[in-house]
Amino acid sequence: MITKPNAQDVKVYECDFLVVGGGDAGCSAAIKAAEEGVKTIILEKANAARSGHSGMGMDHVMDFPREGVSYLDYVKFFMGRHELLGGPGALMNPNVGYILGAKSWWALDHMNKWGYPMRWEDTDDYHWVRNGWFGKKIMIGVHWLDVKPVMAKKCKEVGVEILNRTMMVDLLTDKNGKVCGATGFNVRTGEFCIVKAKAVMVSTCNLTRNYTSETPMHWKYKMRYHGHPGSVSGDGFNACYKVGAGLCNLDLATNWNYRIRDDITIPFGSIDHGDGIRGQWMNAKGEAIPFPTAKMYDEIEKAGLDPIYCTIEHFNDVYQKRNEICIADERFVSLYLGAQRGFNPKTHRYELMENRRFGYYGLSGVYTDENFKTDVEGLYCGGDTVLGLGGCGSACISGIIVGDQMKEYCATAPEPEIDMNHVQDVIDEVYAPLYEEDGTEPMEMESSIRYINDRYVGMHISEGKLKEGLLRLGSLGKHFMPHLMAKTPHDLMRCIEVRNIYDGSILHFKACMERKESRGNFLRNDYPERNPENDNHISVCRLVDGKDTIELMRAPELKPEYLEEGK
Amino acid sequence: MDEFYGGGVYEEENFEFPLFKLVREKAEELDISYHDALVLVKPDYVRSCRYGDEEFEQKSIDEFEEISKQTMANWEAFMKEREGK
């Protein structure tokens, strides 16, 4: 039986550096900081030994500029890969892309030193694979089935304290608005805690669970979210937003937009862009078509040639075997499920459904500078939480960069001062569902939110649909959200998650309404043309004086010193 | 209609991934988990995948690029036809 605690009685942890989310970025940041003597704690909702993007494995790590690829080339790639789907122009901070390239080799040294298996055992060398967008061998193929246990073990070796099964409820700020810790909640015992810290890094992936869970793209295996399901309820997005950080491009949403009809999705992982041979798309008549953007899909639909399919039947036998290796490295469970069901990737055609958004990955995220510092003092972000970042490679690099700054930052940062009245308010809200009888199940609420996102945004966006969707969300917020009910700590976790999912959805709708144009895969029926004035602008949601604001912010220029250094 | 009831109108062959077959057999032989069996059988399987054989890879990629060129040509013809309507 769990009961609501009093703020004065809850356990208080103290550290210099708090990492929220123990995935690739979180573990890497924590190890780096702790190695330099910074007292570090990780808050991890699951278990750091198997959580996060690489929790089930990984088959490639990107990117390490080489083969004549300069850092400036890499910045173009970093920006450009989102342009096809988000429309032309800079949609993020190019300086972040620069630093990811420029610090990648330095970060790789750390990953090697810490025992991350970067080299293949046979050759004791890196296995370089092509980045499909770039066409150059700048990604490292890895056998990372068991990388997370290695990361978690290293954390412990260097003295990082990991609070497993403890999710962040929200971030704490002092009287000057500086982030000074977080509240946490043990999802198994129901115990509440406060973690005081001089600096906090949030690396809790992104938000995806406001849309119906679908395998986001054919190369993402049997994984119905891009990221770990527990990680994509937008906990970090919402917490950062509430303390004043900017949440970006929630209208454009993610960059991989197809839904796949198949329940069994055993596709072709990094082989798709890593080994130089991609899947083949085809229309309903079996005629080969290029990888279709939303506009192309629209034309196919109008011509009556949908549904469209993807296949790997053109892979030769060796590439089929390489495909198996990729699956075994990144989602061994997929190989197991496929084997159980007699599924044959050589003959199967993956049906791609409507092209629309399903979450916020890469193209969306919290705005940071190239040191991964947000606009809020004391608050950093890492990994997929950051605008522009996607994947475990950039997650590790961003984490190491943040961890590297902590010794100096914490030496001069003020001691954290916690507002206990605020903590009591948080406790009251967290435990309220325990006292609700015959209320709303959190998963019932989550399903309703997903339905509204699916139904009222969709592939073709319009003002009328968005307004109706917002009304329906408002109805949920007014009549059902206050009556979420829970009986166990696990239920309470779901209640916290669904609040984050709900808040993210509201911002998504509002951001979509503000963007009165079509660009990339963002198709508005009522504004079918692109507004060139919006090129090179980032849409930023920010909480100002308790109100949601959305503005288009001009993307920063690449710093002159990087232009010079990066040639 | 009978042919739709198990008559093979749409039926995928019962396929087992070659790698998983090795995993399953090793796990049964040693009475270990699939995960542990994978760790044992994967290195040999990786060696059979011709990684590092640049000539083979280039040939495979060239063949694919030919398909891609034809695909783009087909698409351009399709769009031209659509625009004409």
Side-chain angles (χ1 to χ4, degrees):
Chain A
M1 179 69 184
I2 46 172
T3 52
K4 185 173 80 172
N6 188 305
Q8 303 299 333
D9 302 330
V10 300
K11 187 160 184 179
V12 179
Y13 295 89
E14 296 193 20
C15 64
D16 294 320
F17 180 37
L18 169 63
V19 175
V20 182
D24 301 317
C27 285
S28 300
I31 296 167
K32 179 64 183 165
E35 271 192 342
E36 302 201 1
V38 178
K39 189 178 179 194
T40 304
I41 288 178
I42 293 177
L43 271 187
E44 166 54 52
K45 184 156 66 173
N47 182 334
R50 276 291 171 198
S51 65
H53 209 133
S54 300
M56 286 188 263
M58 188 54 62
D59 65 0
H60 69 286
V61 179
M62 58 198 285
D63 291 295
F64 303 87
R66 61 192 284 274
E67 281 204 320
V69 175
S70 70
Y71 298 150
L72 290 186
D73 292 334
Y74 182 70
V75 174
K76 279 184 201 157
F77 157 70
F78 175 77
M79 312 291 283
R81 69 177 169 146
H82 298 295
E83 282 196 39
L84 175 68
L85 301 152
L91 299 161
M92 51 198 62
N93 183 352
N95 298 296
V96 169
Y98 181 88
I99 219 72
L100 282 176
K103 295 252 185 171
S104 59
W105 292 91
W106 166 80
L108 181 59
D109 286 344
H110 285 80
M111 291 150 83
N112 275 312
K113 188 177 77 172
W114 297 337
Y116 297 10
M118 305 305 298
R119 293 185 171 92
W120 281 20
E121 281 177 13
D122 272 19
T123 57
D124 193 28
D125 201 355
Y126 303 118
H127 174 62
W128 290 103
V129 290
R130 281 173 190 77
N131 182 312
W133 293 287
F134 219 123
K136 299 277 190 179
K137 287 192 170 184
I138 60 172
M139 305 196 310
I140 301 179
V142 288
H143 301 311
W144 266 20
L145 176 63
D146 292 319
V147 73
K148 279 311 304 292
V150 172
M151 291 184 187
K153 188 174 167 209
K154 188 68 191 174
C155 281
K156 286 180 183 165
E157 273 177 27
V158 296
V160 176
E161 185 173 2
I162 303 176
L163 304 180
N164 280 324
R165 308 290 176 199
T166 306
M167 83 177 286
M168 170 184 63
V169 178
D170 75 353
L171 292 166
L172 297 170
T173 52
D174 65 15
K175 59 180 186 287
N176 298 315
K178 178 189 173 297
V179 169
C180 57
T183 49
F185 172 80
N186 188 305
V187 303
R188 291 283 167 85
T189 65
E191 195 178 6
F192 195 88
C193 68
I194 296 168
V195 185
K196 293 164 97 172
K198 293 177 179 173
V200 177
M201 185 184 88
V202 173
S203 50
T204 57
C205 209
N206 45 51
L207 165 65
T208 304
R209 272 169 49 189
N210 64 326
Y211 274 106
T212 303
S213 53
E214 290 289 341
T215 313
M217 205 44 181
H218 42 277
W219 54 75
K220 292 319 295 184
Y221 313 97
K222 179 75 182 174
M223 187 172 188
R224 287 187 152 239
Y225 300 97
H226 192 92
H228 195 283
S231 311
V232 290
S233 51
D235 303 344
F237 273 16
N238 208 21
C240 291
Y241 180 76
K242 281 181 176 171
V243 295
L247 259 182
C248 302
N249 295 334
L250 289 189
D251 41 5
L252 299 174
T254 198
N255 55 351
W256 295 337
N257 292 33
Y258 277 109
R259 293 176 67 187
I260 297 179
R261 182 183 164 276
D262 306 65
D263 192 46
I264 307 172
T265 303
I266 303 282
F268 39 100
S270 80
I271 203 169
D272 180 59
H273 51 286
D275 285 48
I277 300 180
R278 295 179 295 277
Q280 180 63 61
W281 287 265
M282 61 180 66
N283 64 24
K285 287 163 72 177
E287 296 162 342
I289 56 171
F291 171 58
T293 61
K295 281 184 179 167
M296 290 161 78
Y297 185 89
D298 201 29
E299 287 297 333
I300 292 165
E301 211 173 31
K302 282 176 188 161
L305 293 173
D306 64 315
I308 61 173
Y309 299 94
C310 187
T311 172
I312 56 170
E313 59 197 42
H314 57 293
F315 282 16
N316 60 36
D317 286 347
V318 170
Y319 272 65
Q320 293 284 356
K321 288 174 75 173
R322 289 185 180 192
N323 179 36
E324 283 184 281
I325 298 291
C326 288
I327 300 169
D329 284 331
E330 189 161 328
R331 295 291 176 275
F332 183 45
V333 67
S334 292
L335 202 65
Y336 172 67
L337 289 170
Q340 270 193 332
R341 298 174 191 189
F343 174 78
N344 186 350
K346 290 181 187 174
T347 57
H348 192 75
R349 290 180 177 183
Y350 306 93
E351 183 182 332
L352 305 185
M353 294 165 81
E354 59 172 345
N355 187 326
R356 49 63 142 174
R357 52 215 37 75
F358 64 85
Y360 314 85
Y361 172 76
L363 195 53
S364 313
V366 178
Y367 186 83
T368 71
D369 67 11
E370 69 267 38
N371 293 316
F372 300 99
K373 185 178 179 310
T374 70
D375 301 333
V376 181
E377 189 58 40
L379 178 61
Y380 296 74
C381 285
D384 289 0
T385 307
V386 178
L387 169 66
L389 264 61
C392 59
S394 51
C396 292
I397 298 166
S398 64
I400 296 168
I401 291 171
V402 174
D404 190 45
Q405 299 168 66
M406 284 304 110
K407 185 176 180 184
E408 195 178 334
Y409 182 85
C410 294
T412 56
E415 288 298 321
E417 288 177 20
I418 306 294
D419 175 358
M420 294 308 277
N421 290 329
H422 172 73
V423 172
Q424 189 60 56
D425 290 344
V426 174
I427 289 172
D428 291 346
E429 189 180 344
V430 166
Y431 291 86
L434 287 176
Y435 306 97
E436 190 70 38
E437 296 284 339
D438 299 326
T440 312
E441 294 273 3
M443 284 309 289
E444 193 182 353
M445 177 66 80
E446 189 170 330
S447 298
S448 301
I449 296 169
R450 284 180 192 160
Y451 175 78
I452 292 170
N453 279 276
D454 279 329
R455 179 79 179 86
Y456 297 100
V457 184
M459 177 168 158
H460 296 284
I461 303 164
S462 69
E463 195 85 358
K465 276 168 69 184
L466 292 171
K467 279 184 178 167
E468 185 63 24
L470 265 177
L471 277 175
R472 287 177 183 252
L473 281 173
S475 170
L476 286 184
K478 183 178 178 185
H479 299 294
F480 297 96
M481 195 62 88
H483 302 292
L484 285 174
M485 64 176 184
K487 289 189 169 49
T488 67
H490 186 84
D491 294 342
L492 280 178
M493 173 191 77
R494 292 289 186 215
C495 291
I496 301 167
E497 286 180 342
V498 82
R499 285 192 186 113
N500 293 332
I501 294 165
Y502 179 80
D503 290 351
S505 298
I506 297 278
L507 292 178
H508 176 43
F509 271 76
K510 286 185 174 179
C512 286
M513 286 183 89
E514 283 296 310
R515 190 172 286 283
K516 300 191 187 309
E517 61 163 342
S518 291
R519 70 169 39 240
N521 274 350
F522 184 87
L523 300 183
R524 277 197 65 153
N525 286 358
D526 40 3
Y527 297 95
E529 302 299 324
R530 174 173 66 91
N531 180 357
E533 287 179 10
N534 291 347
D535 292 355
N536 303 312
H537 282 74
I538 303 165
S539 112
V540 187
C541 299
R542 200 184 297 278
L543 191 65
V544 179
D545 297 329
K547 290 193 173 163
D548 299 330
T549 66
I550 300 163
E551 62 167 3
L552 280 178
M553 177 183 82
R554 184 158 184 89
E557 301 286 338
L558 195 60
K559 289 182 173 173
E561 59 266 36
Y562 295 159
L563 278 171
E564 188 55 36
E565 284 169 11
K567 286 174 186 168
Chain B
M1 197 178 280
D2 286 351
E3 70 272 25
F4 284 86
Y5 290 92
V9 169
Y10 178 77
E11 192 173 343
E12 289 193 1
E13 62 182 295
N14 193 17
F15 175 83
E16 186 169 30
F17 291 89
L19 174 59
F20 196 81
K21 185 165 183 286
L22 295 174
V23 169
R24 185 174 50 75
E25 287 170 354
K26 182 62 77 178
E28 284 167 5
E29 178 194 336
L30 301 178
D31 193 21
I32 55 178
S33 69
Y34 288 145
H35 171 279
D36 292 348
L38 173 68
V39 172
L40 293 177
V41 304
K42 200 172 73 179
D44 275 347
Y45 204 74
V46 168
R47 273 188 281 275
S48 73
C49 289
R50 301 179 71 171
Y51 289 110
D53 184 341
E54 298 278 347
E55 200 177 324
F56 165 74
E57 282 189 1
Q58 198 52 53
K59 186 168 170 286
S60 302
I61 291 167
D62 289 346
E63 284 168 6
F64 176 71
E65 290 303 325
E66 275 307 306
I67 300 172
S68 293
K69 276 183 202 161
Q70 190 55 49
T71 301
M72 283 311 293
N74 292 347
W75 178 258
E76 280 162 17
F78 166 76
M79 284 305 288
K80 210 170 239 179
E81 192 188 318
R82 294 282 304 157
E83 283 160 13
K85 281 184 179 172

